[in-house]
Amino acid sequence: MPVGGAGWFGGGMGKIAVVTGGTSGIGKEIARGLARAGFLVGIVCRNELRAAATVEELVRDVPGARVETFLGDLSVRMDVERVAASLEERFDRLDVLVDNAGVHLLRAKVSADGYDRMIATNHLGPFLLTNRLLGLLEKGAPSRVVVMASEAHRQADRFEVERLAEPGSYGPAGSVRVYGRSKLLNILFAQELARRMEGSGVTVNAVCPGVVATGLLRDVPGTGRAGALLSRTPFMRTPAQGARMALKVALHEEFETRSGGFHSSTPGAGLLPTVGALKDRELQRAVWDCSSRLVGLPSL
Ligand SMILES: NC(=O)c1ccc[n+]([C@@H]2O[C@H](COP(=O)([O-])OP(=O)(O)OC[C@H]3O[C@@H](n4cnc5c(N)ncnc54)[C@H](OP(=O)(O)O)[C@@H]3O)[C@@H](O)[C@H]2O)c1
């Protein structure tokens, strides 16, 4: 059920956006930017206290902000189904969906459904939620899906598609490889969904926010000191700066019809060669099929 909220605008709701993980870091700034742009913002998050604090903050900071929260853990399939049902009950269409929530877990954990929890949170949850919300997005067309990926996709481990969410130790290469895999899956998902939505008026793009000072890396050793050094350089961004690319893709006119891209705001990333997987349609299709099976969607 929706929690909080600030004001009811008569019969019409105006533009509606949903942002996952909008209670901290980049997601909160995306929610703030969308509220400023006049959107009614639905935040999907898992912590009731942080949800209430976020609504309070955004309503205080943004005159006329309309913010509602929908509680659920994206790593848990039943929660995602429940959140999607609440959103469908509350809204009759959707203009923007930002799949932002994500974690960088240092050690392997198993999700409630028996998958690697980082992959479940970062990929399977958004995959299922987005699929469940396609009807609302089609009703809102022209509408947009923005998937928060990362340049970290370049560090993905070699994985078998059929085992993309299999739990297991993170091994000597550590969590960075599995986090990288989750971010690669984000881009492959966005590319495949963009193709599937061609002609529907729903665009789908993945973005990278750059390196941003948030809570994401709190558990990763060395990042404290490295972060402190980096934060003295223009390389490390504030969450508000990190939100800019996602907001651009969500709001600017030029992205009303552009779809299927990966838009990185990391300085110099444009000079790096494209990772092979991003050009591999068969892989994108196989990832889609396997993810569908894992979350219980028909593989069409
Ligand atoms: N920071 C960077 O440098 C960087 C770089 C590239 C990409 N990204 C991506 O940016 C996105 C946002 O990360 P951030 O840096 O802003 O980190 P953050 O400050 O830790 O925010 C992550 C958000 O996701 C939510 N979340 C985590 N697990 C969840 C779950 N199971 N169910 C529902 N919500 C969950 C968190 O909610 P709680 O408050 O409940 O934990 C929080 O609101 C992530 O997808 C990340 O991969 C970040």
mmCIF file of all heavy atoms in Angstrom, residues 20-27 44-47 50 72-75 99-103 121-122 148-151 179 183 186 208-218, ligand 1:
data_model
loop_
_atom_site.group_PDB
_atom_site.id
_atom_site.type_symbol
_atom_site.label_atom_id
_atom_site.label_comp_id
_atom_site.label_asym_id
_atom_site.label_seq_id
_atom_site.Cartn_x
_atom_site.Cartn_y
_atom_site.Cartn_z
ATOM 1 N N THR A 20 12.967 3.225 -8.157
ATOM 2 C CA THR A 20 13.316 2.237 -7.133
ATOM 3 C C THR A 20 14.565 2.716 -6.390
ATOM 4 O O THR A 20 15.429 3.393 -6.963
ATOM 5 C CB THR A 20 13.575 0.841 -7.742
ATOM 6 O OG1 THR A 20 14.762 0.884 -8.537
ATOM 7 C CG2 THR A 20 12.400 0.375 -8.594
ATOM 8 N N GLY A 21 14.627 2.377 -5.103
ATOM 9 C CA GLY A 21 15.781 2.794 -4.307
ATOM 10 C C GLY A 21 15.881 4.306 -4.200
ATOM 11 O O GLY A 21 16.976 4.870 -4.218
ATOM 12 N N GLY A 22 14.730 4.943 -4.054
ATOM 13 C CA GLY A 22 14.718 6.407 -4.009
ATOM 14 C C GLY A 22 14.898 6.981 -2.618
ATOM 15 O O GLY A 22 14.659 8.168 -2.402
ATOM 16 N N THR A 23 15.330 6.132 -1.668
ATOM 17 C CA THR A 23 15.466 6.626 -0.298
ATOM 18 C C THR A 23 16.884 7.077 0.039
ATOM 19 O O THR A 23 17.123 7.579 1.135
ATOM 20 C CB THR A 23 15.059 5.534 0.718
ATOM 21 O OG1 THR A 23 15.743 4.324 0.366
ATOM 22 C CG2 THR A 23 13.562 5.315 0.712
ATOM 23 N N SER A 24 17.832 6.853 -0.872
ATOM 24 C CA SER A 24 19.182 7.354 -0.579
ATOM 25 C C SER A 24 19.964 7.544 -1.873
ATOM 26 O O SER A 24 19.490 7.194 -2.954
ATOM 27 C CB SER A 24 19.933 6.402 0.366
ATOM 28 O OG SER A 24 20.341 5.261 -0.335
ATOM 29 N N GLY A 25 21.153 8.112 -1.715
ATOM 30 C CA GLY A 25 22.092 8.214 -2.827
ATOM 31 C C GLY A 25 21.513 8.834 -4.094
ATOM 32 O O GLY A 25 20.768 9.816 -4.056
ATOM 33 N N ILE A 26 21.851 8.203 -5.208
ATOM 34 C CA ILE A 26 21.473 8.729 -6.520
ATOM 35 C C ILE A 26 19.954 8.699 -6.693
ATOM 36 O O ILE A 26 19.349 9.632 -7.233
ATOM 37 C CB ILE A 26 22.161 7.883 -7.626
ATOM 38 C CG1 ILE A 26 23.691 7.929 -7.457
ATOM 39 C CG2 ILE A 26 21.770 8.361 -9.007
ATOM 40 C CD1 ILE A 26 24.438 6.832 -8.210
ATOM 41 N N GLY A 27 19.326 7.627 -6.204
ATOM 42 C CA GLY A 27 17.878 7.473 -6.373
ATOM 43 C C GLY A 27 17.086 8.590 -5.720
ATOM 44 O O GLY A 27 16.085 9.065 -6.282
ATOM 45 N N VAL A 44 9.912 3.109 -4.737
ATOM 46 C CA VAL A 44 9.902 1.713 -4.290
ATOM 47 C C VAL A 44 11.123 1.514 -3.402
ATOM 48 O O VAL A 44 12.251 1.782 -3.818
ATOM 49 C CB VAL A 44 9.953 0.740 -5.492
ATOM 50 C CG1 VAL A 44 10.040 -0.705 -5.013
ATOM 51 C CG2 VAL A 44 8.743 0.944 -6.392
ATOM 52 N N CYS A 45 10.888 1.070 -2.169
ATOM 53 C CA CYS A 45 11.998 0.931 -1.223
ATOM 54 C C CYS A 45 11.633 -0.111 -0.163
ATOM 55 O O CYS A 45 10.501 -0.560 -0.113
ATOM 56 C CB CYS A 45 12.301 2.268 -0.569
ATOM 57 S SG CYS A 45 10.864 2.991 0.210
ATOM 58 N N ARG A 46 12.620 -0.470 0.661
ATOM 59 C CA ARG A 46 12.347 -1.592 1.569
ATOM 60 C C ARG A 46 12.328 -1.189 3.035
ATOM 61 O O ARG A 46 12.040 -2.011 3.891
ATOM 62 C CB ARG A 46 13.371 -2.702 1.348
ATOM 63 C CG ARG A 46 14.785 -2.221 1.552
ATOM 64 C CD ARG A 46 15.816 -3.274 1.261
ATOM 65 N NE ARG A 46 17.119 -2.631 1.292
ATOM 66 C CZ ARG A 46 18.262 -3.244 1.319
ATOM 67 N NH1 ARG A 46 18.289 -4.560 1.279
ATOM 68 N NH2 ARG A 46 19.392 -2.583 1.358
ATOM 69 N N ASN A 47 12.670 0.045 3.347
ATOM 70 C CA ASN A 47 12.781 0.429 4.747
ATOM 71 C C ASN A 47 11.755 1.520 5.074
ATOM 72 O O ASN A 47 11.818 2.628 4.543
ATOM 73 C CB ASN A 47 14.212 0.920 5.008
ATOM 74 C CG ASN A 47 14.444 1.285 6.449
ATOM 75 O OD1 ASN A 47 13.752 2.124 7.014
ATOM 76 N ND2 ASN A 47 15.415 0.627 7.060
ATOM 77 N N ARG A 50 13.153 4.910 6.505
ATOM 78 C CA ARG A 50 13.820 5.734 5.480
ATOM 79 C C ARG A 50 12.797 6.261 4.472
ATOM 80 O O ARG A 50 12.932 7.361 3.947
ATOM 81 C CB ARG A 50 14.902 4.926 4.771
ATOM 82 C CG ARG A 50 16.234 4.970 5.537
ATOM 83 C CD ARG A 50 17.401 4.574 4.646
ATOM 84 N NE ARG A 50 17.432 3.151 4.394
ATOM 85 C CZ ARG A 50 18.022 2.263 5.190
ATOM 86 N NH1 ARG A 50 18.634 2.663 6.278
ATOM 87 N NH2 ARG A 50 18.014 0.980 4.900
ATOM 88 N N GLY A 72 8.875 -2.798 -0.457
ATOM 89 C CA GLY A 72 9.133 -4.165 -0.900
ATOM 90 C C GLY A 72 10.619 -4.367 -1.128
ATOM 91 O O GLY A 72 11.333 -3.412 -1.461
ATOM 92 N N ASP A 73 11.068 -5.594 -0.934
ATOM 93 C CA ASP A 73 12.469 -5.944 -1.154
ATOM 94 C C ASP A 73 12.597 -6.489 -2.576
ATOM 95 O O ASP A 73 11.990 -7.518 -2.909
ATOM 96 C CB ASP A 73 12.884 -7.004 -0.121
ATOM 97 C CG ASP A 73 14.357 -7.343 -0.203
ATOM 98 O OD1 ASP A 73 14.920 -7.304 -1.313
ATOM 99 O OD2 ASP A 73 14.940 -7.663 0.842
ATOM 100 N N LEU A 74 13.385 -5.808 -3.402
ATOM 101 C CA LEU A 74 13.486 -6.196 -4.814
ATOM 102 C C LEU A 74 14.150 -7.554 -5.023
ATOM 103 O O LEU A 74 14.060 -8.119 -6.105
ATOM 104 C CB LEU A 74 14.261 -5.127 -5.586
ATOM 105 C CG LEU A 74 13.493 -3.842 -5.910
ATOM 106 C CD1 LEU A 74 14.441 -2.788 -6.441
ATOM 107 C CD2 LEU A 74 12.385 -4.107 -6.916
ATOM 108 N N SER A 75 14.824 -8.062 -3.986
ATOM 109 C CA SER A 75 15.467 -9.373 -4.159
ATOM 110 C C SER A 75 14.475 -10.513 -3.905
ATOM 111 O O SER A 75 14.823 -11.677 -4.071
ATOM 112 C CB SER A 75 16.671 -9.511 -3.211
ATOM 113 O OG SER A 75 16.239 -9.710 -1.881
ATOM 114 N N ASP A 99 14.712 2.250 -12.867
ATOM 115 C CA ASP A 99 15.208 1.078 -12.133
ATOM 116 C C ASP A 99 16.569 1.455 -11.570
ATOM 117 O O ASP A 99 17.600 1.254 -12.211
ATOM 118 C CB ASP A 99 15.350 -0.123 -13.086
ATOM 119 C CG ASP A 99 14.012 -0.730 -13.441
ATOM 120 O OD1 ASP A 99 13.180 -0.928 -12.535
ATOM 121 O OD2 ASP A 99 13.795 -1.013 -14.633
ATOM 122 N N ASN A 100 16.560 2.008 -10.375
ATOM 123 C CA ASN A 100 17.811 2.542 -9.815
ATOM 124 C C ASN A 100 18.383 1.693 -8.690
ATOM 125 O O ASN A 100 19.601 1.602 -8.532
ATOM 126 C CB ASN A 100 17.554 3.975 -9.310
ATOM 127 C CG ASN A 100 18.613 4.429 -8.332
ATOM 128 O OD1 ASN A 100 19.710 4.825 -8.714
ATOM 129 N ND2 ASN A 100 18.313 4.322 -7.037
ATOM 130 N N ALA A 101 17.520 1.078 -7.879
ATOM 131 C CA ALA A 101 18.001 0.389 -6.666
ATOM 132 C C ALA A 101 19.099 -0.617 -7.007
ATOM 133 O O ALA A 101 19.041 -1.292 -8.029
ATOM 134 C CB ALA A 101 16.851 -0.320 -5.968
ATOM 135 N N GLY A 102 20.074 -0.699 -6.137
ATOM 136 C CA GLY A 102 21.135 -1.671 -6.354
ATOM 137 C C GLY A 102 22.014 -1.785 -5.125
ATOM 138 O O GLY A 102 22.014 -0.898 -4.267
ATOM 139 N N VAL A 103 22.728 -2.902 -5.053
ATOM 140 C CA VAL A 103 23.657 -3.116 -3.940
ATOM 141 C C VAL A 103 24.987 -3.623 -4.486
ATOM 142 O O VAL A 103 25.044 -4.202 -5.567
ATOM 143 C CB VAL A 103 23.138 -4.179 -2.927
ATOM 144 C CG1 VAL A 103 22.047 -3.607 -2.048
ATOM 145 C CG2 VAL A 103 22.678 -5.454 -3.626
ATOM 146 N N THR A 121 18.815 -8.725 -6.502
ATOM 147 C CA THR A 121 18.478 -7.317 -6.226
ATOM 148 C C THR A 121 18.715 -6.438 -7.455
ATOM 149 O O THR A 121 17.871 -5.616 -7.816
ATOM 150 C CB THR A 121 19.368 -6.766 -5.083
ATOM 151 O OG1 THR A 121 19.254 -7.625 -3.965
ATOM 152 C CG2 THR A 121 18.953 -5.349 -4.699
ATOM 153 N N ASN A 122 19.886 -6.616 -8.056
ATOM 154 C CA ASN A 122 20.296 -5.681 -9.116
ATOM 155 C C ASN A 122 19.706 -6.022 -10.481
ATOM 156 O O ASN A 122 19.526 -5.134 -11.312
ATOM 157 C CB ASN A 122 21.826 -5.654 -9.253
ATOM 158 C CG ASN A 122 22.504 -5.085 -8.019
ATOM 159 O OD1 ASN A 122 21.842 -4.764 -7.034
ATOM 160 N ND2 ASN A 122 23.821 -4.970 -8.065
ATOM 161 N N MET A 148 19.538 1.896 -14.266
ATOM 162 C CA MET A 148 20.806 2.378 -13.706
ATOM 163 C C MET A 148 21.847 1.269 -13.781
ATOM 164 O O MET A 148 21.880 0.347 -12.969
ATOM 165 C CB MET A 148 20.587 2.792 -12.250
ATOM 166 C CG MET A 148 21.773 3.484 -11.638
ATOM 167 S SD MET A 148 22.268 4.992 -12.503
ATOM 168 C CE MET A 148 21.023 6.137 -11.900
ATOM 169 N N ALA A 149 22.692 1.346 -14.792
ATOM 170 C CA ALA A 149 23.769 0.361 -14.961
ATOM 171 C C ALA A 149 25.061 0.996 -14.477
ATOM 172 O O ALA A 149 25.042 1.837 -13.567
ATOM 173 C CB ALA A 149 23.841 -0.054 -16.425
ATOM 174 N N SER A 150 26.174 0.635 -15.050
ATOM 175 C CA SER A 150 27.458 1.178 -14.588
ATOM 176 C C SER A 150 28.570 0.799 -15.555
ATOM 177 O O SER A 150 28.497 -0.234 -16.233
ATOM 178 C CB SER A 150 27.774 0.591 -13.212
ATOM 179 O OG SER A 150 29.081 0.930 -12.821
ATOM 180 N N GLU A 151 29.615 1.624 -15.567
ATOM 181 C CA GLU A 151 30.841 1.243 -16.296
ATOM 182 C C GLU A 151 31.453 -0.014 -15.683
ATOM 183 O O GLU A 151 32.290 -0.667 -16.306
ATOM 184 C CB GLU A 151 31.852 2.385 -16.284
ATOM 185 C CG GLU A 151 31.535 3.530 -17.233
ATOM 186 C CD GLU A 151 31.524 3.132 -18.700
ATOM 187 O OE1 GLU A 151 32.125 2.100 -19.054
ATOM 188 O OE2 GLU A 151 30.900 3.855 -19.495
ATOM 189 N N TYR A 179 29.280 -8.041 -9.067
ATOM 190 C CA TYR A 179 28.627 -6.738 -9.214
ATOM 191 C C TYR A 179 28.678 -6.314 -10.689
ATOM 192 O O TYR A 179 27.680 -5.879 -11.266
ATOM 193 C CB TYR A 179 29.315 -5.690 -8.329
ATOM 194 C CG TYR A 179 28.740 -4.300 -8.509
ATOM 195 C CD1 TYR A 179 27.484 -3.966 -7.989
ATOM 196 C CD2 TYR A 179 29.443 -3.323 -9.229
ATOM 197 C CE1 TYR A 179 26.955 -2.696 -8.169
ATOM 198 C CE2 TYR A 179 28.912 -2.050 -9.411
ATOM 199 C CZ TYR A 179 27.674 -1.747 -8.883
ATOM 200 O OH TYR A 179 27.141 -0.487 -9.074
ATOM 201 N N LYS A 183 25.610 -5.492 -13.414
ATOM 202 C CA LYS A 183 25.474 -4.245 -14.176
ATOM 203 C C LYS A 183 25.492 -4.520 -15.683
ATOM 204 O O LYS A 183 24.845 -3.820 -16.459
ATOM 205 C CB LYS A 183 26.574 -3.258 -13.765
ATOM 206 C CG LYS A 183 26.461 -2.785 -12.322
ATOM 207 C CD LYS A 183 25.294 -1.840 -12.108
ATOM 208 C CE LYS A 183 24.279 -2.294 -11.130
ATOM 209 N NZ LYS A 183 23.130 -1.391 -11.001
ATOM 210 N N ASN A 186 22.067 -5.568 -16.483
ATOM 211 C CA ASN A 186 21.192 -4.387 -16.589
ATOM 212 C C ASN A 186 21.187 -3.843 -18.024
ATOM 213 O O ASN A 186 20.139 -3.506 -18.570
ATOM 214 C CB ASN A 186 21.667 -3.255 -15.662
ATOM 215 C CG ASN A 186 21.432 -3.505 -14.192
ATOM 216 O OD1 ASN A 186 22.084 -2.905 -13.349
ATOM 217 N ND2 ASN A 186 20.513 -4.382 -13.850
ATOM 218 N N CYS A 208 25.028 5.222 -16.920
ATOM 219 C CA CYS A 208 26.019 5.127 -15.839
ATOM 220 C C CYS A 208 26.138 6.507 -15.213
ATOM 221 O O CYS A 208 26.313 7.495 -15.930
ATOM 222 C CB CYS A 208 27.379 4.668 -16.372
ATOM 223 S SG CYS A 208 28.655 4.782 -15.084
ATOM 224 N N PRO A 209 26.067 6.582 -13.886
ATOM 225 C CA PRO A 209 26.087 7.893 -13.221
ATOM 226 C C PRO A 209 27.483 8.453 -12.975
ATOM 227 O O PRO A 209 27.610 9.554 -12.446
ATOM 228 C CB PRO A 209 25.407 7.585 -11.883
ATOM 229 C CG PRO A 209 25.794 6.156 -11.591
ATOM 230 C CD PRO A 209 25.872 5.461 -12.929
ATOM 231 N N GLY A 210 28.529 7.676 -13.315
ATOM 232 C CA GLY A 210 29.884 8.069 -12.923
ATOM 233 C C GLY A 210 30.182 7.482 -11.552
ATOM 234 O O GLY A 210 29.424 6.651 -11.043
ATOM 235 N N VAL A 211 31.299 7.901 -10.972
ATOM 236 C CA VAL A 211 31.646 7.417 -9.629
ATOM 237 C C VAL A 211 31.055 8.402 -8.625
ATOM 238 O O VAL A 211 31.378 9.585 -8.641
ATOM 239 C CB VAL A 211 33.177 7.322 -9.451
ATOM 240 C CG1 VAL A 211 33.517 6.787 -8.065
ATOM 241 C CG2 VAL A 211 33.772 6.418 -10.528
ATOM 242 N N VAL A 212 30.167 7.895 -7.777
ATOM 243 C CA VAL A 212 29.362 8.786 -6.943
ATOM 244 C C VAL A 212 29.538 8.443 -5.466
ATOM 245 O O VAL A 212 29.507 7.253 -5.088
ATOM 246 C CB VAL A 212 27.862 8.665 -7.335
ATOM 247 C CG1 VAL A 212 27.045 9.722 -6.601
ATOM 248 C CG2 VAL A 212 27.680 8.796 -8.844
ATOM 249 N N ALA A 213 29.701 9.462 -4.652
ATOM 250 C CA ALA A 213 29.862 9.251 -3.204
ATOM 251 C C ALA A 213 28.507 8.934 -2.581
ATOM 252 O O ALA A 213 27.720 9.827 -2.295
ATOM 253 C CB ALA A 213 30.448 10.513 -2.581
ATOM 254 N N THR A 214 28.217 7.634 -2.440
ATOM 255 C CA THR A 214 26.948 7.193 -1.832
ATOM 256 C C THR A 214 27.273 6.080 -0.854
ATOM 257 O O THR A 214 28.437 5.751 -0.631
ATOM 258 C CB THR A 214 25.980 6.622 -2.891
ATOM 259 O OG1 THR A 214 26.547 5.414 -3.408
ATOM 260 C CG2 THR A 214 25.726 7.598 -4.015
ATOM 261 N N GLY A 215 26.237 5.442 -0.339
ATOM 262 C CA GLY A 215 26.438 4.335 0.584
ATOM 263 C C GLY A 215 26.754 3.021 -0.126
ATOM 264 O O GLY A 215 27.029 2.012 0.513
ATOM 265 N N LEU A 216 26.727 3.021 -1.461
ATOM 266 C CA LEU A 216 26.856 1.766 -2.213
ATOM 267 C C LEU A 216 28.131 1.000 -1.886
ATOM 268 O O LEU A 216 28.126 -0.216 -1.772
ATOM 269 C CB LEU A 216 26.817 2.050 -3.718
ATOM 270 C CG LEU A 216 26.824 0.834 -4.615
ATOM 271 C CD1 LEU A 216 25.438 0.209 -4.696
ATOM 272 C CD2 LEU A 216 27.299 1.169 -6.021
ATOM 273 N N LEU A 217 29.229 1.733 -1.750
ATOM 274 C CA LEU A 217 30.522 1.072 -1.586
ATOM 275 C C LEU A 217 30.938 0.952 -0.127
ATOM 276 O O LEU A 217 32.091 0.667 0.171
ATOM 277 C CB LEU A 217 31.591 1.836 -2.374
ATOM 278 C CG LEU A 217 31.339 1.929 -3.878
ATOM 279 C CD1 LEU A 217 32.371 2.816 -4.551
ATOM 280 C CD2 LEU A 217 31.359 0.553 -4.519
ATOM 281 N N ARG A 218 29.958 1.156 0.770
ATOM 282 C CA ARG A 218 30.322 1.229 2.189
ATOM 283 C C ARG A 218 31.025 -0.030 2.684
ATOM 284 O O ARG A 218 31.866 0.044 3.569
ATOM 285 C CB ARG A 218 29.090 1.528 3.066
ATOM 286 C CG ARG A 218 27.989 0.501 2.983
ATOM 287 C CD ARG A 218 26.843 0.818 3.953
ATOM 288 N NE ARG A 218 25.867 1.766 3.451
ATOM 289 C CZ ARG A 218 24.898 1.478 2.574
ATOM 290 N NH1 ARG A 218 24.790 0.259 2.078
ATOM 291 N NH2 ARG A 218 24.040 2.390 2.182
HETATM 292 N N1 LIG B 1 27.638 5.060 -6.404
HETATM 293 C C1 LIG B 1 28.268 4.813 -7.548
HETATM 294 O O1 LIG B 1 29.435 5.206 -7.742
HETATM 295 C C2 LIG B 1 27.568 4.093 -8.643
HETATM 296 C C3 LIG B 1 28.228 3.939 -9.885
HETATM 297 C C4 LIG B 1 27.580 3.280 -10.911
HETATM 298 C C5 LIG B 1 26.298 2.793 -10.723
HETATM 299 N N2 LIG B 1 25.673 2.939 -9.517
HETATM 300 C C6 LIG B 1 24.310 2.386 -9.381
HETATM 301 O O2 LIG B 1 23.447 3.390 -8.879
HETATM 302 C C7 LIG B 1 22.345 2.775 -8.214
HETATM 303 C C8 LIG B 1 22.079 3.496 -6.910
HETATM 304 O O3 LIG B 1 23.165 3.282 -6.029
HETATM 305 P P1 LIG B 1 23.704 4.376 -5.005
HETATM 306 O O4 LIG B 1 25.144 4.559 -5.305
HETATM 307 O O5 LIG B 1 22.823 5.537 -4.949
HETATM 308 O O6 LIG B 1 23.660 3.493 -3.638
HETATM 309 P P2 LIG B 1 22.850 3.667 -2.281
HETATM 310 O O7 LIG B 1 23.020 5.045 -1.754
HETATM 311 O O8 LIG B 1 23.288 2.509 -1.433
HETATM 312 O O9 LIG B 1 21.326 3.496 -2.717
HETATM 313 C C9 LIG B 1 20.802 2.260 -3.126
HETATM 314 C C10 LIG B 1 19.302 2.286 -2.988
HETATM 315 O O10 LIG B 1 18.794 0.996 -3.387
HETATM 316 C C11 LIG B 1 17.955 0.511 -2.366
HETATM 317 N N3 LIG B 1 17.969 -0.944 -2.276
HETATM 318 C C12 LIG B 1 19.046 -1.743 -2.076
HETATM 319 N N4 LIG B 1 18.664 -3.024 -2.016
HETATM 320 C C13 LIG B 1 17.329 -3.037 -2.180
HETATM 321 C C14 LIG B 1 16.368 -4.065 -2.196
HETATM 322 N N5 LIG B 1 16.692 -5.352 -2.047
HETATM 323 N N6 LIG B 1 15.074 -3.736 -2.374
HETATM 324 C C15 LIG B 1 14.701 -2.426 -2.531
HETATM 325 N N7 LIG B 1 15.581 -1.422 -2.518
HETATM 326 C C16 LIG B 1 16.876 -1.714 -2.333
HETATM 327 C C17 LIG B 1 18.520 1.102 -1.081
HETATM 328 O O11 LIG B 1 17.546 1.027 -0.083
HETATM 329 P P3 LIG B 1 17.964 0.886 1.476
HETATM 330 O O12 LIG B 1 18.030 2.300 1.945
HETATM 331 O O13 LIG B 1 16.823 0.102 2.045
HETATM 332 O O14 LIG B 1 19.293 0.167 1.538
HETATM 333 C C18 LIG B 1 18.849 2.510 -1.556
HETATM 334 O O15 LIG B 1 17.692 3.324 -1.551
HETATM 335 C C19 LIG B 1 22.716 1.295 -8.074
HETATM 336 O O16 LIG B 1 22.014 0.557 -9.046
HETATM 337 C C20 LIG B 1 24.197 1.258 -8.357
HETATM 338 O O17 LIG B 1 24.612 0.020 -8.876
HETATM 339 C C21 LIG B 1 26.279 3.584 -8.486
#
